[in-house]
Structure formats: structure tokens, C-alpha cells
Amino acid sequence: MMDSRNATIHRSQPPAPVSLAQEYDSAYYSDCFVYSLGSLSGSSALTLYRQMTHLAPPWVNRLLHIRDLATGILGMTPTRGFQEVGYPTRTFIQPGEKLDFFEVVANIEQELVLRFDDPHFFVSISLYIQRELEEDRLYITSIVTPYSQRGKLYITLIAPFHRKIAKTMISTLA
């Protein structure tokens, strides 16, 4: 089994079982990163999400705070950063409940699907674990759909930051 500290994060297509896979190619913005879990194989998608958000470097929440200040004047919904209290908390979260600034769409052992709605766009995120004989792989898929020109502009400006944050948060699993 490969040591997860030496694993790398790669861009990928989401595998077919990912809930967002059918929308991926036609989405206005989409990305997918894959990471070999190594010693974390056997973890649930919710556990990995909590680990990533809990261990995220402070600059991630500072950047989200700046985002909230800058976009608030444009009428966009604030995130208020990753701030789930009481990590680790309950082992199961029902669809419809909040997890940080996301609404939980689906939560099963192998996949956690989250959504963030804004008047100008919506974001869907899937954390999907592909179980393998050697070691599990985590696929994090993001899809953003704009509702307006302002939403399209926002997506264009934020995309490089989104990719950096996604890779940084995945790297906390190493």
C-alpha cells in the first residue's frame, strides 16, 4: 500500500457513480481532483470532509472572510467560512441539514453531496470514495452553475482560488 504522505493530488474526471458525474461535462464550471487515501482507506466521506475542514490552514478562512466582504456589497450570500463547532460531532447528518455553509444533499458512507445556493449561482460538491483493493481514492468534484451575468463573472474570478483551496484542503489528509 502506498504511503499517503507521498500521494499526489491529480485532476480527473469523476467516476460514473459520482452523483454529479452526469452534469460534469455540461456544467458552466467543473473540476474534479483525485487523491489516494493510503492509511485513511476505510474512512467515510463525512469523516474526510470534517478532517479537511478542521485541519485547513487559517488562511483558507481568512480568504473566505475577504470573499464575504467583497461579495456582500454585490448581494451575494456569505459563507462565514468553515466553522462547524464541536469537531468531530455526530456521525450522521441528514439531507437538508447544514454542514458549515453547505446544505447536505446526500450523505452515505461513500459519498457526501453538498450544495451552496446564492441568488447568482449555485455550487454542488461531491466527496466520493472509490473503494479499491489496494487503497481507496477520494474524488472531490465541484460544479458551479450561474443564474446571472454577475454569477458568471464571480465564477471566472473565483475559479483559481477555488482550485487552490480544494487542493490545500485535500493535502491536509496527507
Side-chain angles (χ1 to χ4, degrees):
M1 182 156 95
M2 183 173 75
D3 182 351
S4 65
R5 291 172 296 187
N6 296 323
T8 55
I9 301 161
H10 299 284
R11 290 202 67 156
S12 177
Q13 288 285 114
V18 170
S19 293
L20 305 177
Q22 289 184 6
E23 304 167 53
Y24 187 81
D25 289 329
S26 63
Y28 184 81
Y29 174 86
S30 60
D31 62 36
C32 180
F33 297 101
V34 62
Y35 174 76
S36 295
L37 290 172
S39 64
L40 293 170
S41 289
S43 297
S44 73
L46 177 60
T47 298
L48 294 173
Y49 171 87
R50 285 186 166 144
Q51 218 169 322
M52 286 188 300
T53 58
H54 182 70
L55 298 173
W59 68 261
V60 170
N61 272 336
R62 283 196 297 273
L63 193 59
L64 288 171
H65 178 71
I66 292 167
R67 175 248 180 237
D68 289 349
L69 292 173
T71 59
I73 58 174
L74 301 173
M76 294 185 171
T77 305
T79 65
R80 295 184 181 85
F82 296 104
Q83 57 184 332
E84 186 183 19
V85 178
Y87 170 86
T89 58
R90 298 177 308 164
T91 57
F92 188 78
I93 295 182
Q94 298 285 339
E97 291 187 72
K98 287 286 193 183
L99 187 60
D100 294 314
F101 51 89
F102 294 109
E103 177 184 338
V104 175
V105 176
N107 179 18
I108 59 173
E109 185 74 14
Q110 281 186 247
E111 187 174 31
L112 176 65
V113 181
L114 305 168
R115 184 176 168 119
F116 177 73
D117 281 302
D118 180 90
H120 303 286
F121 62 90
F122 76 86
V123 178
S124 295
I125 308 278
S126 166
L127 285 79
Y128 175 79
I129 301 166
Q130 185 171 20
R131 304 287 185 201
E132 306 264 332
L133 288 176
E134 293 292 316
E135 68 183 352
D136 297 346
R137 297 183 190 285
L138 173 65
Y139 289 82
I140 298 185
T141 305
S142 304
I143 291 178
V144 186
T145 303
Y147 297 134
S148 66
Q149 286 302 114
R150 191 176 290 174
K152 288 180 180 180
L153 176 62
Y154 172 79
I155 294 163
T156 301
L157 295 174
I158 208 74
F161 298 102
H162 163 78
R163 287 188 293 270
K164 176 69 174 164
I165 289 172
K167 288 179 180 178
T168 297
M169 293 186 70
I170 295 167
S171 72
T172 66
L173 298 173

